[in-house]
Amino acid sequence: MELLHEAKVDNVFIGDSEATVKTLKYINEYLQNHIITILCNLLSEYKHLYNKEINIRPDQPENIIRLLLPRKPNVGIRHNIVRHRGSIVMQNRLAARYSGEVYLVKHDLPFEARSNVIGFVSPEYVNLFDQIDADIRIKLIPIN
């Protein structure tokens, strides 16, 4: 992904004879549709976010990746813990108009009462965060 996205190369040859069909499918999905597949685990009430093509907001701060999903008013306050790199977070009602906004954490962040941790990205997929910008879509896939 890094070669394709940052170096703008046209072709990448994979020399790993043990690459899984699933991994090759994810690479092809990126090549064909600019969709990065991310394996993750979401709390049960957020499983509706799985398998959707999600756009990325054009306005991106340094520490998070803001997903372009509809906001929801009055999201309850729960699971607000330290936000580690790879956390999936939804803003709660304390965030006022940002309630329901979802983002991925690129760098460890401290506890924030306005932020509910709703899941986490599989560690081997967290480095893909460096390739995500507004021209990319993501798809969250359950870890098993």
Side-chain angles (χ1 to χ4, degrees), residues 117-133:
V117 175
I118 63 168
F120 64 89
V121 171
S122 180
E124 62 268 18
Y125 285 76
V126 173
N127 286 337
L128 292 174
F129 288 5
D130 297 333
Q131 311 312 316
I132 296 174
D133 60 27

Side-chain angles (χ1 to χ4, degrees), residues 39-50 72 75-81 86-91 102 115-121 140-143:
L39 269 66
C40 66
N41 186 38
L42 293 166
L43 296 174
S44 60
E45 61 263 39
Y46 301 103
K47 292 190 185 286
H48 65 277
L49 296 174
Y50 286 136
K72 293 187 246 176
V75 170
I77 302 165
R78 69 189 120 198
H79 307 289
N80 45 2
I81 57 176
S87 295
I88 304 169
V89 176
M90 179 180 282
Q91 296 295 87
V102 179
S115 300
N116 297 345
V117 175
I118 63 168
F120 64 89
V121 171
L140 301 174
I141 303 292
I143 295 174

Side-chain angles (χ1 to χ4, degrees), residues 58-123:
D59 51 332
Q60 292 299 320
E62 182 178 337
N63 293 321
I64 63 173
I65 299 167
R66 297 175 72 195
L67 307 184
L68 190 57
L69 292 166
R71 294 176 181 158
K72 293 187 246 176
N74 298 315
V75 170
I77 302 165
R78 69 189 120 198
H79 307 289
N80 45 2
I81 57 176
V82 173
R83 297 160 293 159
H84 293 287
R85 178 172 164 82
S87 295
I88 304 169
V89 176
M90 179 180 282
Q91 296 295 87
N92 61 44
R93 68 175 168 254
L94 296 176
R97 70 184 184 106
Y98 295 102
S99 179
E101 183 169 308
V102 179
Y103 62 85
L104 308 175
V105 177
K106 292 170 71 171
H107 304 287
D108 289 351
L109 296 171
F111 164 83
E112 172 59 63
R114 297 177 295 182
S115 300
N116 297 345
V117 175
I118 63 168
F120 64 89
V121 171
S122 180

Side-chain angles (χ1 to χ4, degrees), residues 23-40:
T23 299
L24 296 173
K25 178 185 165 208
Y26 296 160
I27 293 169
N28 188 56
E29 191 162 27
Y30 175 77
L31 289 170
Q32 299 297 317
N33 303 310
H34 299 286
I35 297 171
I36 294 179
T37 302
I38 299 176
L39 269 66
C40 66

